[in-house]
């Protein structure tokens, strides 16, 4: 691994630990090393629920059904795209790997906002 990546991963793990303590979470999220998209798809095969917010997904009822069906104890992976979104090839690779495209609504969100939006939905469902 490139030295800078290891330092970033270590720093992100420290941030996750501090945030978990501050919010009194019983479970501290684990930050994995940075990986290529294809590696992430392979890694996600071990996860119970796999979602990819995609701007061309348009079935809000399906998205609501998926989020509404989440259960405590399930592992969840969410693929948040870069600025500009996933390209069609990447989205097709994700779907072929069993990752479910979901919509975040009519607006295209920034990368930072998309992640918080999905996390908020998940927290609402599992903790609400």
């Amino acid at each position: 691994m490139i030295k800078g990546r290891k330092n970033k991963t270590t720093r992100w793990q420290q941030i996750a630990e501090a945030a978990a303590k501050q919010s009194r979470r019983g479970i501290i999220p684990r930050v994995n090393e940075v990986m290529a998209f294809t590696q992430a798809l392979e890694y996600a095969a071990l996860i119970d629920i796999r979602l990819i917010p995609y701007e061309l997904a348009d079935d809000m009822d399906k998205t609501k059904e998926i989020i509404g069906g989440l259960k405590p104890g399930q592992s969840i992976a969410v693929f948040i795209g870069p600025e500009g979104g996933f390209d069609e090839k990447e989205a097709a690779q994700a779907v072929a790997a069993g990752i479910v495209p979901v919509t975040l609504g009519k607006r295209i969100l920034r990368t930072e906002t998309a992640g918080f939006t999905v996390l908020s939905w998940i927290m609402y469902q599992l903790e609400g």
Side-chain angles (χ1 to χ4, degrees):
M1 176 188 288
I2 299 170
K3 182 180 179 186
R5 286 187 179 179
K6 179 154 180 67
N7 290 341
K8 285 183 180 181
T9 303
T10 300
R11 176 72 180 127
W12 293 332
Q13 185 63 54
Q14 292 169 343
I15 291 168
E17 290 172 13
K21 288 177 185 174
Q22 180 181 11
S23 62
R24 298 184 180 137
R25 289 184 54 100
I27 299 171
I28 297 174
R30 181 175 52 112
V31 177
N32 291 322
E33 295 177 3
V34 175
M35 58 184 82
F37 185 67
T38 53
Q39 291 173 303
L41 294 176
E42 292 170 8
Y43 179 84
L46 305 172
I47 306 296
D48 297 325
I49 306 294
R50 298 162 292 178
L51 306 174
I52 183 168
Y54 184 50
E55 62 271 10
L56 297 180
D58 60 2
D59 191 346
M60 184 55 87
D61 289 333
K62 179 180 175 185
T63 298
K64 289 178 182 178
E65 181 181 324
I66 291 166
I67 298 299
L70 297 176
K71 304 286 184 241
Q74 290 179 308
S75 57
I76 303 169
V78 181
F79 284 75
I80 300 294
E83 291 297 327
F86 289 108
D87 64 35
E88 289 183 31
K89 180 182 172 189
E90 290 169 324
Q93 282 180 292
V95 170
I99 297 167
V100 180
V102 295
T103 181
L104 299 182
K106 296 176 184 176
R107 287 156 192 80
I108 305 247
L109 302 178
R110 292 181 58 94
T111 297
E112 302 87 358
T113 310
F116 284 120
T117 299
V118 176
L119 179 59
S120 296
W121 290 355
I122 292 169
M123 288 173 57
Y124 176 82
Q125 175 62 27
L126 296 178
E127 298 176 9

